[in-house]
């Protein structure tokens, strides 16, 4: 068996990569919202923090009632308890990735974990 997995992601509204890449330590999703659209629910988590990166477009996140403007290149980390909802701008679609990992689970960084 190969030591890697590869998948191409199209511009579907939402693609979850846990099954497609056989992920075992994180959940990753790619999400697209049309101009003026939003994620139709507010949510938080029990154990997992989320890291969002805006790939294209612009919009906003509402986190614990605070509006956070978002544009391509922005990164946002949200603790598990943070109540969040995402919106595309009225005049622009938004495409973002979400990386979900267990809070406080990182035991070492790249250089400490690398084997050369």
């Amino acid at each position: 068996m190969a030591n890697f997995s590869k998948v191409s992601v199209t511009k579907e509204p939402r693609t979850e990569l846990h099954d497609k890449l056989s992920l075992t330590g994180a959940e990753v999703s790619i999400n697209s919202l049309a101009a003026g659209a939003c994620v139709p629910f507010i949510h938080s988590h029990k154990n997992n923090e989320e890291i969002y990166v805006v790939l294209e477009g612009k919009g906003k996140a509402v986190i614990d009632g605070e509006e956070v403007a978002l544009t391509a290149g922005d990164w946002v980390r949200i603790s598990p308890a943070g109540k969040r909802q995402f919106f595309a701008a009225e005049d622009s679609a938004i495409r973002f990735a979400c990386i979900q990992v267990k809070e406080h689970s990182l035991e070492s960084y790249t250089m400490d974990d690398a084997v050369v």
Side-chain angles (χ1 to χ4, degrees):
M1 176 165 184
N3 286 322
F4 68 93
S5 301
K6 179 186 175 198
V7 65
S8 293
V9 177
T10 60
K11 292 200 175 188
E12 297 296 319
R14 181 171 171 88
T15 302
E16 293 181 354
L17 298 177
H18 62 273
D19 287 338
K20 295 176 186 280
L21 291 174
S22 301
L23 299 176
T24 64
E27 168 63 288
V28 179
S29 63
I30 309 299
N31 305 272
S32 297
L33 295 171
C38 69
V39 173
F41 55 86
I42 299 168
H43 78 285
S44 61
H45 287 276
K46 297 175 188 169
N47 300 305
N48 295 339
E49 65 186 6
E50 289 182 324
I51 303 101
Y52 291 87
V53 57
V54 180
L55 303 169
E56 300 173 13
K58 63 183 180 176
K60 70 179 179 183
V62 177
I63 306 166
D64 291 335
E66 182 177 339
E67 286 191 16
V68 178
L70 299 172
T71 190
D74 287 349
W75 288 79
V76 179
R77 179 226 174 240
I78 305 173
S79 67
K83 292 180 175 31
R84 66 210 76 174
Q85 186 176 21
F86 288 81
F87 300 80
E90 289 298 320
D91 63 346
S92 173
I94 190 169
R95 184 169 160 86
F96 57 92
C98 176
I99 304 160
Q100 189 179 127
V101 295
K102 185 174 180 182
E103 187 177 45
H104 304 298
S105 64
L106 186 62
E107 295 178 358
S108 61
Y109 300 95
T110 304
M111 292 309 295
D112 294 332
D113 189 53
V115 178
V116 291

